[in-house]
Amino acid sequence: MNAPGAIARERAAASPPSPVLPPLPAGRGGMDLLEALRGALSALAANTLRSILTGLGIFIGVAAVIATVAVGEGARRQVTAQIQSLGANLLIIWGGSATMGGVRLGAGGRSNLSWDDAVAIAREVPQVEVAVGSIRQTFQMVAGNQNWSAVVIAADPDYFVAHEWVPEEGRLFTAEEAAAARKVVILGATVAENLFGEENPVGREIRIRQTPFEVIGVMARKGQNPMGQDQDDAVFIPYWTARRSVMGASRANARQVGTISVKVHEGEDMQEAEEAIRALMRQRHRVAANEPDSVSIRNLSDIQATRDAAARTLSLLLASVAAVSLLVGGIGVMNIMLVSVTERTREIGLRLAVGARRRDVLAQFLLEALVLALLGGAAGVAAGLALSHAVADLAGWPVLVKPDAVLLAVGVSALTGLFFGFWPARRAARLDPIAALRHD
Amino acid sequence: MAALIETEGLTRHFPAGEEVVKALSEVTVSIAPGEFVAAMGPSGSGKSTFLNLIGCLDRPTSGRYRLMGEEVEGLSHDRLAELRSRRIGFIFQSFNLLPRTDALGNVELPLIYRGLRRRARRERAAMALAAVGLADRMGHRPSQLSGGQQQRVAIARAIVGSPDLLLADEPTGALDTRTGLSIAALFQALNRGGVGVLMVTHDPEVARFASRVLRFRDGRLVGDARQEPADAAALLAALPPMDQAA
């Protein structure tokens, strides 16, 4: 097998005619970002399972943040909607304890508020748009062979303005009808359902305490109030009709009302209006300077503020949970990057020997940590969105994923990657190339 | 024309506890462009320390070193990296290839730090692989290549950036005689093309292919002799052929 051809081939393979390459044109110097990114991705792909497990820490943190923020926001909006369903810029005045013949009846006793108090508030407090007295009492009501027990609210049409009731069917009663004490009634949606089922009640008759009323409208549904009561389980009749025909009247209570609803003009300070009303009530009820107020005023924005404060506390709690999980995730990233640097010590030595600058090595490992954290974060955002959609479906409120929460989550995971990746990357960049090349 | 390598009293001492290890002491030598120099000596003689200093991987404790007329002392880390990138190609006994990267990717590596675009890099790397006779092995990973082929990939990586100087640390140490000969022949061919070669070896068989031999002992340069190099390619051709080429 000593053919001359074989020798020639071998000689050609061992010593090619000119193995020296032509000079290399000068490049820009330094490595490009795309190449660095490709390197980072392939390094992560080389240890797929490890990369996934490391990214999991960030993933869980980010998913939790997105989901909890979305769910929290949804819940908050629902509460806000409930509060707003009661009426915006609304103050409710409750009677204090009435004093009858020197006997103080205590809170919840008979009201000391009168129809005229409401009229006075509307007239004398400039911030007030409407002030209307109302009484409410539960009665059994009958329509045909159906009967139902519900709250009867007796007031003036201004009440609908203050509490933002609008009819779904038919109409509201007018001021003239109210003044004339007409026997007309507007049904809440729940009552209409229970008395008339699917039928349209407008134009039909119901009896409240034997008194026949003509149904002139059905209210649009409001749902629960923040205390969980069904606001639609009520009917509305004119105040004077109630006084004459349903709730009865005596000398003592002929003009009495249970509460006064006050709607303050948009943009006015609720606090100032409240103070003015308080002062007016003290004057009208002849309360001495050293005596406590005769009425209590509930500001619905107070309820909202309380809810908001609770929501803020919850958000803070969620934020700290997120911070802790991102911290743990970040430590995971740092740990795995340190392992990676140790594993690839020879590679780092080689890269330094073939011309990588320290900053090239730093950038390589920093980018790897960043990509790892960002991939975890992006997956976390996706899972968080899915989770909030699922929860929103179950709870029946709209999904409210704020774009800034998503941006924040991604930004924070990027920062986590950079922060926790920096030290391992710096360690890699500062390796002594000789020692690194000898590393086992 | 400036010398390729010029050292003056080059010294490298390592502190080791209370003691000081005098790895290299007072080496003064000048190597012209295009020389093929073998650095010989037993282990611990300082030849590897010398190689690391010449390769700008290490800094001397004292003494001066000029690479192609440029004073290396006092250069920043970045400038040293640039010198390694533009002037020097390294070849190691254990090849030091990236195991998960194919031959082309390994050869491409130094060009990443020269700021070349991907397409230019790949073309150039393919050229280098062809030059070492591995045009048909570009997509192979190191584990799919023989030792000789792996060292050829490493040589392709060393020459891809058109260095002025190849630094080889026992390049044939892990190879059998025949393969070692073919690698030596490749070095000689590169050297004939004008590339300076400084090769550390303890093997006199390999040192005979150099045109000059530096002998180290206990960190000192104890011998500096020129010689007529043996022709590795001719020796390889004279060997009885084998069924499998290296």
Side-chain angles (χ1 to χ4, degrees):
Chain A
M1 278 282 289
N2 206 346
I7 292 174
R9 264 207 308 283
E10 202 157 77
R11 185 187 272 271
S15 161
S18 173
V20 179
L21 303 185
L24 186 67
R28 290 169 296 118
M31 68 193 298
D32 61 306
L33 193 67
L34 195 69
E35 181 53 42
L37 197 64
R38 196 180 288 130
L41 284 173
S42 70
L44 292 174
N47 284 298
T48 315
L49 181 63
R50 193 167 85 183
S51 302
I52 289 173
L53 290 177
T54 307
L56 210 57
I58 307 267
F59 167 83
I60 291 171
V62 169
V65 175
I66 299 282
T68 46
V69 166
V71 169
E73 183 66 9
R76 204 180 66 81
R77 290 278 181 92
Q78 200 187 32
V79 168
T80 306
Q82 280 175 353
I83 289 171
Q84 274 171 355
S85 73
L86 296 174
N89 301 325
L90 191 61
L91 294 173
I92 305 283
I93 304 166
W94 303 75
S97 50
T99 305
M100 295 185 68
V103 179
R104 295 179 65 206
L105 294 177
R110 180 176 273 167
S111 174
N112 59 354
L113 286 174
S114 82
W115 183 257
D116 305 308
D117 286 332
V119 174
I121 290 168
R123 194 178 55 223
E124 290 179 31
V125 182
Q127 293 97 329
V128 170
E129 186 179 335
V130 293
V132 54
S134 62
I135 37 178
R136 48 196 296 149
Q137 199 173 334
T138 302
F139 288 107
Q140 205 70 22
M141 45 199 76
V142 183
N145 57 357
Q146 297 290 324
N147 72 96
W148 185 252
S149 169
V151 175
V152 173
I153 296 173
D156 249 18
D158 280 350
Y159 185 89
F160 307 130
V161 176
H163 290 266
E164 296 178 5
W165 281 105
V166 287
E168 172 92 37
E169 305 273 355
R171 59 180 182 86
L172 303 174
F173 52 75
T174 63
E176 291 72 34
E177 284 171 317
R182 298 279 301 277
K183 289 172 186 154
V184 290
V185 64
I186 304 151
L187 305 184
T190 305
V191 177
E193 238 171 62
N194 282 287
L195 288 181
F196 294 98
E198 294 294 299
E199 290 172 59
N200 185 351
V202 176
R204 305 278 292 274
E205 188 188 273
I206 67 168
R207 287 169 175 272
I208 305 171
R209 250 199 178 181
Q210 318 306 328
T211 312
F213 280 80
E214 184 198 350
V215 178
I216 60 167
V218 179
M219 292 295 188
R221 191 177 285 280
K222 273 194 176 194
Q224 294 183 352
N225 70 8
M227 280 69 79
Q229 292 157 338
D230 180 4
Q231 298 179 82
D232 303 309
D233 196 7
V235 303
F236 304 84
I237 59 173
Y239 177 79
W240 295 112
T241 311
R243 275 287 168 246
R244 278 185 205 162
S245 313
V246 183
M247 299 185 185
S250 63
R251 241 194 206 324
N253 68 5
R255 302 178 75 77
Q256 181 202 317
V257 295
T259 60
I260 297 174
S261 308
V262 175
K263 185 181 171 71
V264 176
H265 277 297
E266 190 67 45
E268 291 285 354
D269 188 87
M270 296 288 279
Q271 211 64 42
E272 273 177 30
E274 196 179 317
E275 286 315 309
I277 291 166
R278 208 177 287 280
L280 180 64
M281 288 299 101
R282 286 180 76 90
Q283 183 197 330
R284 285 181 60 82
H285 296 169
R286 297 190 183 80
V287 179
N290 57 349
E291 300 263 320
D293 279 339
S294 57
V295 299
S296 54
I297 300 179
R298 194 169 296 169
N299 182 346
L300 289 177
S301 57
D302 288 349
I303 302 178
Q304 177 138 22
T306 311
R307 298 277 182 156
D308 281 353
R312 261 198 301 283
T313 311
L314 191 68
S315 305
L316 215 63
L317 192 74
L318 294 178
S320 36
V321 169
V324 168
S325 63
L326 281 172
L327 181 73
V328 172
I331 290 169
V333 168
M334 176 140 81
N335 181 32
I336 225 64
M337 288 312 295
L338 283 172
V339 170
S340 178
V341 168
T342 305
E343 274 179 359
R344 288 152 70 191
T345 299
R346 274 176 89 103
E347 179 195 322
I348 295 162
L350 176 74
R351 285 177 183 273
L352 290 168
V354 301
R357 293 164 302 176
R358 283 179 167 185
R359 78 177 90 127
D360 294 325
V361 174
L362 183 84
Q364 181 191 342
F365 282 90
L366 209 51
L367 198 68
E368 211 172 300
L370 178 67
V371 168
L372 186 58
L374 271 180
L375 288 180
V381 168
L385 292 181
L387 199 64
S388 32
H389 274 275
V391 172
D393 272 1
L394 282 177
W397 62 59
V399 186
L400 290 155
V401 179
K402 294 177 167 175
D404 46 344
V406 174
L407 279 180
L408 187 75
V410 171
V412 166
S413 46
L415 280 181
T416 307
L418 287 179
F419 183 80
F420 289 98
F422 183 76
W423 192 59
R426 194 179 121 103
R427 214 166 123 138
R430 301 226 154 186
L431 281 174
D432 170 24
I434 300 166
L437 280 165
R438 283 201 202 112
H439 191 267
D440 293 315
Chain B
M1 194 172 181
L4 177 60
I5 293 168
E6 208 174 2
T7 72
E8 236 177 274
L10 199 64
T11 300
R12 181 69 167 108
H13 290 174
F14 297 98
E18 297 290 297
E19 301 283 301
V20 171
V21 177
K22 297 179 175 176
L24 201 69
S25 299
E26 299 287 333
V27 172
T28 301
V29 72
S30 175
I31 297 171
E35 277 195 275
F36 189 155
V37 180
M40 293 197 68
S43 62
S45 63
K47 58 187 193 301
S48 288
T49 303
F50 181 65
L51 190 82
N52 288 335
L53 286 170
I54 297 305
C56 302
L57 289 174
D58 198 6
R59 291 170 187 270
T61 310
S62 66
R64 298 172 66 185
Y65 165 37
R66 277 193 292 276
L67 176 63
M68 300 189 74
E70 183 171 4
E71 191 70 53
V72 171
E73 195 196 328
L75 291 183
S76 66
H77 281 280
D78 281 1
R79 180 68 190 145
L80 288 178
E82 200 184 326
L83 278 182
R84 291 197 293 269
S85 171
R86 293 184 185 279
R87 301 251 187 258
I88 297 167
F90 283 95
I91 294 136
F92 309 93
Q93 179 174 5
S94 53
F95 321 138
N96 272 324
L97 300 177
L98 300 182
R100 280 187 294 265
T101 309
D102 64 12
L104 197 65
N106 267 290
V107 176
E108 208 187 324
L109 188 67
L111 300 180
I112 289 174
Y113 303 108
R114 293 284 285 268
L116 257 67
R117 297 273 166 214
R118 183 176 169 83
R119 177 192 289 274
R121 286 201 310 265
R122 295 191 87 79
E123 280 171 7
R124 179 84 183 176
M127 262 167 79
L129 277 171
V132 300
L134 286 179
D136 55 345
R137 294 283 191 278
M138 293 188 188
H140 289 53
R141 292 186 175 202
S143 57
Q144 299 167 306
L145 298 170
S146 71
Q149 286 169 335
Q150 289 187 50
Q151 193 60 301
R152 280 170 188 275
V153 173
I155 291 170
R157 182 179 64 196
I159 64 171
V160 75
S162 288
D164 303 291
L165 175 63
L166 286 180
L167 297 177
D169 192 355
E170 303 276 7
T172 60
L175 304 174
D176 62 65
T177 310
R178 173 182 292 268
T179 314
L181 266 181
S182 75
I183 295 297
L186 185 52
F187 275 117
Q188 285 189 324
L190 286 163
N191 181 242
R192 276 196 300 276
V195 182
V197 179
L198 174 60
M199 177 175 71
V200 163
T201 182
H202 66 275
D203 185 356
E205 284 293 310
V206 177
R208 33 184 197 137
F209 302 118
S211 61
R212 184 177 174 190
V213 177
L214 303 177
R215 289 179 191 280
F216 289 84
R217 186 177 294 277
D218 300 330
R220 293 186 176 276
L221 183 63
V222 295
D224 182 354
R226 288 172 200 281
Q227 64 183 24
E228 187 55 41
D231 185 347
L235 287 171
L236 186 63
L239 282 180
M242 273 172 50
D243 288 340
Q244 294 151 326

